[in-house]
């Protein structure tokens, strides 16, 4: 498990309701999700995260989370396999989507041809480079985007983001996320 995997696990284990920041079009209460990172049998594959709703439906699907911060020319196929393995193992899952957190979709994730339907129909992209340059983006996503911020800009951007969050009810939790990201960046 990489440092960023541990970071995302900690963030979403502490705040599973923040799934709403990743998929704002979910038409349900995000507090109705619980988060885990199950180990998949067969070559012991571990998902970065899994959001299971209390009651699954088309409007409230199971959400598979993956954070991929570097190029890997086998990633698309492996992530597709991990999702399929989960669906095969967890026969109660009928409705599902996948969320990929990455710097940008132009990293080499492999040839997409064999997994086009998965990429087109199931995958929701969270591109941190784009979010880092969008001051109107969700503050939680802006905090995650600190992972790709150039190091010289990181202290000033972190402070500015914390000041922006000062009046929010979840400011303390988001400040913890910012601190964890900064520590990960400088200790990673």
């Amino acid at each position: 498990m990489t440092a960023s995997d541990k970071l995302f696990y900690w963030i979403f284990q502490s705040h599973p309701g923040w799934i709403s920041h990743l998929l704002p079009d979910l038409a349900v209460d995000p507090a109705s999700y619980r988060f885990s990172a199950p180990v998949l049998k067969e070559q012991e594959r571990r998902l970065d995260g899994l959001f299971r709703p209390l009651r699954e439906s088309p409007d409230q699907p199971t959400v598979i989370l993956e954070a991929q911060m570097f190029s890997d020319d086998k990633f698309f196929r492996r992530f597709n396999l991990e999702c399929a393995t989960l669906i095969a193992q967890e026969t109660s899952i009928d409705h599902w989507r996948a969320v990929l957190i990455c710097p940008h979709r132009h990293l080499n994730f492999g040839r997409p041809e064999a997994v086009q339907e998965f990429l087109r129909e199931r995958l929701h992209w969270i591109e941190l480079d784009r979010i880092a340059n969008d001051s109107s983006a969700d503050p939680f996503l802006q905090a995650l985007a600190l992972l790709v911020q150039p190091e010289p800009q990181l202290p000033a951007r972190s402070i500015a983001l914390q000041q922006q969050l000062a009046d929010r009810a979840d400011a303390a939790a988001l400040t913890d996320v910012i601190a964890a990201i900064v520590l990960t960046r400088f200790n990673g």
Side-chain angles (χ1 to χ4, degrees):
M1 187 179 269
T2 67
S4 64
D5 289 347
K6 290 176 186 174
L7 173 69
F8 284 111
Y9 181 84
W10 171 78
I11 290 170
F12 292 114
Q13 183 66 36
S14 301
H15 304 282
W18 287 356
I19 185 176
S20 64
H21 297 287
L22 302 176
L23 292 171
D25 63 332
L26 282 179
V28 297
D29 178 11
S32 65
Y33 279 87
R34 56 186 159 71
F35 178 81
S36 65
V39 174
L40 303 177
K41 297 175 187 172
E42 298 178 27
Q43 300 181 8
E44 193 160 314
R45 299 183 181 277
R46 179 178 297 274
L47 297 172
D48 285 349
L50 180 68
F51 293 94
R52 292 290 303 263
L54 300 177
R55 289 194 190 113
E56 186 181 282
S57 70
D59 289 338
Q60 191 168 4
T62 292
V63 178
I64 302 164
L65 173 70
E66 185 68 23
Q68 183 66 29
M69 303 305 286
F70 53 88
S71 290
D72 176 351
D73 65 0
K74 294 178 178 62
F75 173 75
F76 279 152
R77 289 172 184 256
R78 186 178 63 253
F79 188 36
N80 184 58
L81 172 64
E82 289 169 353
C83 292
T85 301
L86 175 71
I87 302 310
Q89 282 181 208
E90 299 286 335
T91 58
S92 63
I93 296 175
D94 292 321
H95 307 284
W96 64 278
R97 292 172 67 182
V99 171
L100 173 60
I101 300 172
C102 63
H104 52 81
R105 67 178 71 201
H106 304 296
L107 287 176
N108 179 8
F109 293 129
R111 295 187 329 270
E113 293 79 12
V115 294
Q116 278 296 327
E117 182 182 9
F118 168 71
L119 298 175
R120 184 180 58 251
E121 302 296 326
R122 300 285 183 175
L123 188 60
H124 178 76
W125 295 82
I126 303 289
E127 295 177 88
L128 298 178
D129 281 347
R130 184 185 55 76
I131 293 165
N133 295 313
D134 181 359
S135 61
S136 68
D138 179 287
F140 171 68
L141 295 178
Q142 288 183 46
L144 293 183
L146 292 172
L147 287 165
V148 298
Q149 197 81 40
E151 269 188 30
Q153 298 172 11
L154 193 56
R157 183 65 191 122
S158 298
I159 291 167
L161 188 53
Q162 288 178 45
Q163 290 170 345
Q164 177 186 340
L165 300 170
D167 296 333
R168 291 178 53 115
D170 59 354
L174 286 170
T175 297
D176 288 346
V177 168
I178 292 167
I181 289 171
V182 170
L183 284 172
T184 299
R185 288 286 307 274
F186 288 109
N187 293 329

